[in-house]
Amino acid sequence: MGNGVAPSTSVDREHRVPTSKRLFGVLYSLFVHLRLHYQLLFLSPLFIWGFMLAGGELSEQAIGGFITFHVFLYGGITAYNSYYDRDVGPIGGLRRPPPVNELLLPFSLGVQGIGFVLALRVGWWFSALYAVVVLLSVAYSHPRLRWKAKAVLSLLVVALGQGAVGFVGGWLCGAPSPPSLLGLDPLLGLAVASLSAVGLYPLTQIYQIDEDRARGDLTFAVVFGPDASFKFALACIALASAAMLPLILRLFGGLDAGLLAVVYAVLLLVVERWRRRFRSDVERNFVTLHRLQLALSVGTLGYMTTRMALY
């Protein structure tokens, strides 16, 4: 009573609750911008494809490499890109991206930094690969360079940073030491991964054309339009199948090759049907692409898991 401190009231408590809620909201927003569901489901087949072709076996190094890549590397660089993009419409993996908080930049860099320390534990080659992707992500997203805003450069970054690097990361975790990518099988596998990653990339831009154009980003879809984006995707899918089928036939036999030939034929038909019926509807195109990616990822992961279990 004589200490001069007013007792806590319900009003004070009510003021404290919104503060904690705001803090939770900020933390949740930062986490969502990692888009981990996208990294773990849609990008992981490329890593596991390399791991499978290298004849890898499940190990602490393989699990550590997988988590380092898909949680810390891909999650971190995705959040880094979101900080500069500040999208309000649908983006890869998020129909309604949360608002960008200024903490997102240091958060994304911190996540990448933790991942690099973990990458060093996997190996020097692996950590060097990690660093290459980080540098590519800076060139892709930062306003000083902003390769994302350039049609051809953005394709090259995706082909290398997601396709080739994803495959090589898996290969390094599965190949005997010292790792070697010299040889027809790994080079064909690398081509499949790069073509698969870059082929669908312009289709992720077709529902972002208005937002990218308003921001001044001359993406492939903005420069060449939706129809050219579909034709580019079809060409890449066809080339990926031409590289994969002889490889699967030699390694696993005619049954596997025949199954994959059917899958590729269906995929080409589905994308061509979408091209013919394309309408400029952001929500519809977002859902269509993500359903297609989900079916491809689940099917690919299922096949590779089964195939590795039968080694």
Side-chain angles (χ1 to χ4, degrees), residues 257-270:
L259 174 64
L260 287 173
V262 172
V263 170
Y264 270 111
V266 171
L267 176 58
L268 287 167
L269 287 173
V270 168

Side-chain angles (χ1 to χ4, degrees), residues 220-238:
F220 188 93
V222 169
V223 174
F224 298 104
D227 193 62
S229 298
F230 278 107
K231 290 178 179 177
F232 179 83
L234 290 166
C236 287
I237 293 169

Side-chain angles (χ1 to χ4, degrees), residues 46-71:
L46 301 171
F47 185 97
I48 296 175
W49 168 239
F51 182 77
M52 182 184 80
L53 288 188
E57 296 181 359
L58 196 61
S59 64
E60 182 179 342
Q61 173 179 293
I63 295 172
F66 180 88
I67 293 174
T68 298
F69 248 57
H70 295 87
V71 174

Side-chain angles (χ1 to χ4, degrees), residues 46-48 50-52 54 69 126 165-175:
L46 301 171
F47 185 97
I48 296 175
F51 182 77
M52 182 184 80
F69 248 57
F126 193 83
V165 168
F167 173 86
V168 175
W171 180 274
L172 292 176
C173 287

Side-chain angles (χ1 to χ4, degrees), residues 179-208:
S180 175
L181 284 165
L182 298 178
L184 182 60
D185 289 355
L187 290 177
L188 284 175
L190 188 67
V192 171
S194 299
L195 288 166
S196 298
V198 77
L200 293 181
Y201 178 63
L203 300 187
T204 68
Q205 300 172 339
I206 60 174
Y207 52 80
Q208 294 180 283

